[in-house]
Every structure is written in C-alpha cells, then in structure tokens.
Amino acid sequence: MPRHTDRDTAADTTAADTAAAATAAVSDADAISPYRPTMRSRVRALLAIGSLAAAPQLLTPAAAHAAHAAHAAHAATGLRRTVAAGETWEVAEITRLDLLVVEEGALLTAPDGHTLSLTVNGVETGSALDGTYGVTTVIAAGAYRGDVVLTPAAEHLETFAGYTFHLRQGVYVGSAGVVTENSVLSGVCGGRLTDAYARGVRLTSTGQAFNGFFVTDGASYTLDGLRVAFDGNGRCDFASYGAAVTGAGDGTRLVVDGARIDTRGVVRSALIARDGADVVVKNSRIHARDGVLPDDYVPAGGANMLTVPWRLGLSGNVRATNVIGENTRATYINSTISSQAWGVLSTDSVRNSRLTTINSSVALTGDSGYGTYADGKTQQDLFLGTDFDVATWVAISTGSPVSFGDSTREVVAALNSDLELGLTETELAAIEPRPCVVSSRGFGVMWHSGDGGSVDIGGGTRFTTAGTMFLDKAVQMSITVDGSQGAELRAGNGVLVQVMETDNPGSINGVYTEPTGEPDKDTAFDTTAEHATDADAVFTDITLRGDFYNAMRNAKNLIISFENNCHLEGVISSTTSRHAIPTITSAEWQQLSHVTNTPQPAINNGVIVRLGADSSWTVRETSHLTKLTLAPTATVQAPTGRTLTLTVDGAPTAVVAGATYAGSLVLRVD
C-alpha cells in the first residue's frame, strides 16, 4: 500500500472532520442534490436501497430537492459497510452509506474501464495515488462517516510522456454537455448545473489527484460563480491530473466568471488551458499553494516533474496555471492569479499559443517563483494594465515575446475582436485604462535557452526589481523599451542588463563549475560587428540609471541603442563575471544567476553603443567598448567634478559628437 499523510487519510474521518478540512464546507441546509438535472435532463440520480443503488431515474428540479430530503431521511437508517483486511469489494454501482470502514489491506475497486471516487457530505476524500509515480488512485484505509457516496465513473484517460493517467473529475463536459458517466456528481454542491453552464457550484476535495471541471471535445461552457477548494497532491499538470479546472481540445471554449479557486498540493494546479482550447477568465481569484512531496520522490523531468527544475534558480512544487499544446489561448481579465512558489502563469510545451492578462494581478506569495514562463513556441505573452508582485523572476523566456503595456480602450477593444473574448460593450466600458506596475523581489526577465526571445515595455509601465533587470544567459535576445508615455525602469542592484555564460548545469544531477582563466580569442568573430545571434537592447525617450555588462566568454556581442532623447548614467562594459562560490549543485540553487562583474577589455564579448539624437551618457565608472556611434546632438560625459578620457586601441582620442569609434575603446573616469 502507498504511504499516506495525515491529510490524505484519517483513522476516523467524521463528517465534521471532512468539512473542517475544506475551505468551503457544505451543510445540509444549502447543498442541493449532487444529481442536479441538466438543461436536457441528462443527469440521473441513484437512490441507495440496501447497500446498493436503485436503477437510475430522471429528475426534475423539484424531484432533485425531494431526492435530497430522501437521502437525509435515509441517513438515519444506518447503512454501513466494512471492507476487511484482505477483502476486495468491487463497487459496481453508485452506492450510498452512512458509514464506510476500510481496513488496512482492504481494496475497493471499480469495474474494468471505470475509476472509483468517494465523497463524504459532498467532499471528495480518501483518494490516494497508488505510488509516488502512480497513474491511478485507491481509496485509503479509514472510517468515513456521514453522507458517504461511492461512484464508479467511466475512466478518463490522458497520456503524457509515455504515461497514461486515469483521471477522475467532478464534472466532465463534452460537446453535448455534462457527461454523467464520466462525472462524480456527488462532489458537486450548491448552485445549478446544466449542459451549457454551471452557476454557483462548489467542489471540495481533500483527496489526491481529483479534478474539478474538465471541459473538452469542442464544448462551449461557462462557469459562473464557481467555488473550488482542493487540498491534496496532484500528479502531473502536463496531463491536467489533479487540476481544479481544465479547458481542453480544439474548438473548446470555456468562460470562467466570478470564480474563487484555491488549491494546495504538489502539482495541484488551479487552471489549465490545453490542446487548442480557448479559456477566458474574468473577475476571478485563483490561488495555488505548495504541497508536501512524497518522501521517496527523486526530482525528475517529463511526466514525473513534480517540482520546478532547480536549474532555474527556483524552488516550489505547484504552478497556479499552465497553457499547453498547439493553438491554445488563455486570457485573464480583472482577475487575481497567485501561487505560493514555482510559477503563476506558465506556458509549456506549446506551439502558436497565447497568454494574455488585462487589468489583473499576478503574485508570488512565497519566496521563490516566477510571474510568467514564456515557452519558446508561444506566440505571445501579453500583459496590459497588470500588476506583478513576484519573488524571483517577473518573466522567463525560452524564445517567446513578452510584452508589458497599458490597457487602453483601443488596445482592449482590438483584443476583444482578435481573441474573440466576447466582452460586451458594458464590460469593455468597465475596464479602466491603466499601466502595468511590475515589482520583483529578485530579478526581472531572464533568457536561458531556446532560439531567442524578446521583451517589449511601453506605455506607462513601471518596472522595478531588487536585482538585475534583464539577464541573458548566452542566448540571442532583444529588449525594446519606449519611455515616451512614461515607462520607467529601476534595478535595485544597479544592473539593467547582464549578459553571461549560462550557469545551468544541464541536468538534474549536474554541477556548475565556474570557468577559470581567460578564454581563448575567437579570431573569426568580429567584436565590432552586429550578428543575428547577439543580444540587443533599444531604448527610446527614457532616462535610466544603471549598468550594462557583457560577460560572455564565447562569441556574443551586446548592442545597446539609445534612440531619441535617452539619458543614461551608468557603466556599459565588457566584463568578467563571478559567482559567490565556484561550484553550484542543487543544494546551492539560490546562488544561480547572482554574479559580480569586473570591467575589462573585450575578448569575444564586444559591446556596441549607439547614442541617438538629443541623447546623453554620463559614464559613472571606467567602461570598455568595441564600438561607439554618436549622433550629431549626442553627448558623452563624466559626472560633475570628474574627467572623462577616451582611448582607441591605446591611443588618446577626443570624443566628438557625430563620430564613430571602433576597436578597443576605454572610457576612463578620473
């Protein structure tokens, strides 16, 4: 038998215990029958007679309430079942009891092609994965008291990376509406459930790997006022195994409005959009908290990735949301999305997919994690009028474009059409234009792998970090910042751009070792030329204070362009960089990305600077460049009271507006 924590099973699970463990406990007074009829009257109820359920019957709304009363009356009859050690009970039909005792060594099963779920007073509970790397669940040993319902539902299989997972969910919605055979409707409480929408519905789970709503097969469905409280580990968020809400499949459209979704558990995601679905979240609050990893878990990738890869310089075991697959779209409007650790908004294993937020909040409540992860084949991560409050990274890109801007009425209206958001004129009018306000207790944007990506910052975006703002780990990247409408950048450690060799050791058990000595000169690489694989940044109409460093050992230039009316005070230089310790293993993951710089002449790490019209650079300390181009109205100067000198290949040279200098340039400040 698998090991279970106290939260996964209890020696004596009473109705009160179960309700107390859930955020949204359900009382007999406000819970309707779990077998609420659908718009097409497709949901059936099975009333318990003896230890087995009666034949299905069609319920009207009035009959649903009558059935609930009958269940309450039935609870007094004292139907009980004990499954003894060594005994196997195949639960062939929906079965209702007052007391279920599962002894250690007992086994409850469902018929072939089915999975078994247990609810007590409407709360899914007792389920435990059949191992740390399991693909299905079992009912854990314990005593379960109250309105006990056992449901054998038709199995729902999802595959990922060679694993086939047996999903269970409260409500499975297909193209024709709610599919009762795949649903555990005894876990659906309150509100109204139909084939087109669910309104005011609550789902609560204290078991493992139980899903809430799974909407797929081209369905069009709305979740209005949904309440979800899940507490217990999931299994694989790539397969949506254990997610609160999933929209999946080409042509599927899922609208989530006014939801409150809270999850706690390893990879117990709150919301997943996948495989071509279009998911729109409005006026909602989503929060995910870490769980407790099994004692025997060994960090892995693929289907067994239960924690964030430490090589990103992060910890945590749940990401609140994930966008997966081809042509998938997820849009958040007037919503708050947060995670304790790992990540808030993720795109992973995607192609041509889009992630968008409008007037929303993105937050990391713990001390490690990212706001958004832009997979290399995402079409765009776009954030308008969105507040970020994150622990480590605002964004991580493996090649996709990431943009921050204002939620102007024109832009939002265009997105409403482009993304087919379906916002009414009243809803559009209620979206007040506002800028992005971005705050990180760590870094800003990081590029670490892939084919190169970009970040675009405009409007009135205020971007503030405690550490380095833009960190490029040896890949092509581009930065565009337009300050003409008030955009601001502030890096707490004074480093605006850092280009460096990757400190990713390359594998879960890898070790990063700091290189020593000077790199060999690559005679075929021109440090004064611009290459497609270089790192470049373009700034327009902005005042900046901070430094730009290129610490690459291998061939890569840093190209900085200050277009019209830019003003910088800081250092721009080729450098060597060093970590605090020369060797970094998984135990020292927090040391990753943190480096200090020593300016020195370029070897294979050229630095090219262009100063446009009416732009200025106040050189705070000695800087090493390989090319400098000045517009006729551009200036380069030392701070007040200090002196600036320029040498080109060792020869003293006057700094003249409109000139271009190339070679080994040293701008010295005395």
Side-chain angles (χ1 to χ4, degrees):
M1 295 291 291
R3 183 187 69 83
H4 309 298
T5 67
D6 291 340
R7 190 170 65 247
D8 301 328
T9 181
D12 186 8
T13 305
T14 66
D17 293 333
T18 304
T23 302
V26 180
S27 68
D28 286 341
D30 64 4
I32 67 167
S33 168
Y35 310 107
R36 166 72 76 175
T38 69
M39 185 177 292
R40 300 184 183 91
S41 299
R42 299 175 60 252
V43 181
R44 300 175 175 87
L46 298 180
L47 304 182
I49 298 179
S51 61
L52 298 177
Q57 60 179 326
L58 197 64
L59 292 186
T60 64
H65 289 285
H68 179 65
H71 299 335
H74 159 73
T77 64
L79 291 179
R80 303 183 176 193
R81 177 71 186 254
T82 297
V83 188
E87 179 184 357
T88 298
W89 177 24
E90 182 179 285
V91 183
E93 300 175 278
I94 296 177
T95 302
R96 174 168 269 104
L97 303 167
D98 299 325
L99 172 64
L100 171 65
V101 178
V102 182
E103 295 184 352
E104 289 287 350
L107 180 63
L108 277 67
T109 65
D112 288 346
H114 293 72
T115 56
L116 186 63
S117 297
L118 165 68
T119 62
V120 178
N121 292 344
V123 177
E124 189 279 334
T125 191
S127 59
L129 287 160
D130 63 345
T132 296
Y133 307 102
V135 297
T136 190
T137 57
V138 296
I139 303 300
Y144 303 93
R145 289 189 177 91
D147 183 12
V148 179
V149 182
L150 290 160
T151 302
E155 65 183 0
H156 166 199
L157 303 179
E158 295 287 340
T159 60
F160 179 76
Y163 284 75
T164 299
F165 299 101
H166 298 249
L167 273 63
R168 305 168 300 121
Q169 54 276 315
V171 184
Y172 185 101
V173 181
S175 58
V178 175
V179 182
T180 60
E181 294 82 359
N182 289 93
S183 303
V184 182
L185 295 175
S186 61
V188 182
C189 296
R192 179 172 176 80
L193 179 67
T194 79
D195 284 330
Y197 65 86
R199 181 174 296 141
V201 164
R202 300 194 302 275
L203 294 98
T204 307
S205 170
T206 61
Q208 292 187 341
F210 182 71
N211 286 59
F213 275 84
F214 198 101
V215 182
T216 188
D217 194 27
S220 181
Y221 205 76
T222 298
L223 298 174
D224 188 359
L226 175 68
R227 300 294 183 266
V228 177
F230 281 4
D231 191 348
N233 288 349
R235 172 59 180 87
C236 177
D237 58 3
F238 290 104
S240 304
Y241 198 11
V245 174
T246 298
D250 187 42
T252 296
R253 178 175 172 82
L254 173 61
V255 177
V256 182
D257 193 355
R260 300 293 182 268
I261 303 173
D262 291 279
T263 67
R264 178 169 63 183
V266 175
V267 292
R268 197 73 183 267
S269 298
L271 188 143
I272 290 178
R274 50 180 291 192
D275 305 330
D278 184 6
V279 178
V280 179
V281 181
K282 304 185 291 186
N283 312 311
S284 296
R285 187 195 69 205
I286 294 171
H287 181 52
R289 289 176 287 170
D290 270 4
V292 178
L293 287 164
D295 291 340
D296 61 347
Y297 176 67
V298 177
N304 296 326
M305 190 174 77
L306 305 186
T307 62
V308 62
W310 69 269
R311 303 180 304 283
L312 294 176
L314 297 173
S315 66
N317 56 51
V318 66
R319 41 189 168 180
T321 70
N322 206 359
V323 176
I324 305 169
E326 188 170 357
N327 299 322
T328 306
R329 299 190 304 205
T331 306
Y332 299 84
I333 306 164
N334 295 332
S335 295
T336 297
I337 317 100
S338 59
S339 184
Q340 180 180 351
W342 188 341
V344 183
L345 302 172
S346 176
T347 59
D348 206 333
S349 303
V350 299
R351 181 182 295 274
N352 197 37
S353 295
R354 295 181 68 172
L355 171 65
T356 306
T357 68
I358 301 170
N359 283 27
S360 293
S361 296
V362 177
L364 257 299
T365 60
D367 58 7
S368 180
Y370 58 73
T372 186
Y373 190 99
D375 184 78
K377 295 178 181 177
T378 311
Q379 185 176 344
Q380 185 182 41
D381 280 12
L382 174 62
F383 306 103
L384 302 176
T386 296
D387 296 341
F388 280 76
D389 181 4
V390 301
T392 312
W393 302 103
V394 174
I396 300 175
S397 172
T398 62
S400 292
V402 181
S403 298
F404 301 86
D406 296 353
S407 55
T408 65
R409 297 200 184 280
E410 295 77 13
V411 170
V412 173
L415 282 175
N416 189 40
S417 175
D418 182 33
L419 297 178
E420 301 173 297
L421 300 177
L423 298 175
T424 66
E425 290 299 323
T426 300
E427 288 178 306
L428 286 171
I431 298 175
E432 292 292 336
R434 72 186 201 192
C436 284
V437 179
V438 180
S439 177
S440 172
R441 303 185 296 278
F443 302 89
V445 182
M446 187 258 279
W447 296 263
H448 71 100
S449 64
D451 298 328
S454 63
V455 62
D456 185 282
I457 297 173
T461 300
R462 299 192 297 275
F463 206 117
T464 304
T465 61
T468 299
M469 183 158 291
F470 303 115
L471 178 56
D472 176 16
K473 296 188 178 182
V475 298
Q476 187 279 326
M477 66 85 179
S478 62
I479 300 164
T480 302
V481 181
D482 182 354
S484 61
Q485 298 178 59
E488 300 175 358
L489 305 180
R490 296 180 181 176
N493 71 343
V495 180
L496 291 171
V497 175
Q498 172 79 66
V499 183
M500 57 182 276
E501 296 289 347
T502 182
D503 52 8
N504 186 336
S507 68
I508 291 171
N509 298 316
V511 176
Y512 170 75
T513 302
E514 195 93 83
T516 59
E518 295 290 348
D520 294 332
K521 172 67 176 176
D522 183 348
T523 57
F525 182 73
D526 187 350
T527 58
T528 67
E530 300 180 21
H531 312 88
T533 56
D534 288 338
D536 67 86
V538 178
F539 300 88
T540 302
D541 199 7
I542 193 169
T543 298
L544 299 170
R545 181 180 176 86
D547 302 329
F548 297 74
Y549 295 131
N550 184 4
M552 285 293 296
R553 294 173 61 86
N554 295 309
K556 182 178 292 294
N557 291 338
L558 171 61
I559 304 164
I560 309 294
S561 298
F562 298 103
E563 303 295 345
N564 299 342
N565 195 34
C566 285
H567 305 281
L568 169 71
E569 180 179 351
V571 174
I572 307 175
S573 185
S574 54
T575 72
T576 57
S577 64
R578 290 287 181 267
H579 293 78
I581 56 177
T583 301
I584 301 175
T585 69
S586 59
E588 296 87 27
W589 61 269
Q590 291 175 306
Q591 297 292 331
L592 294 174
S593 306
H594 294 272
V595 296
T596 57
N597 289 273
T598 302
Q600 68 172 35
I603 300 176
N604 303 312
N605 52 332
V607 177
I608 299 171
V609 176
R610 291 193 291 259
L611 281 177
D614 301 320
S615 295
S616 66
W617 173 22
T618 301
V619 186
R620 194 170 62 246
E621 299 292 344
T622 297
S623 299
H624 297 267
L625 309 180
T626 52
K627 190 173 184 180
L628 174 63
T629 299
L630 304 178
T633 55
T635 59
V636 179
Q637 60 198 18
T640 302
R642 304 178 70 183
T643 302
L644 175 71
T645 58
L646 168 66
T647 61
V648 179
D649 295 329
T653 305
V655 179
V656 179
T660 295
Y661 309 90
S664 178
L665 280 60
V666 181
L667 291 135
R668 187 179 305 280
V669 178
D670 297 311

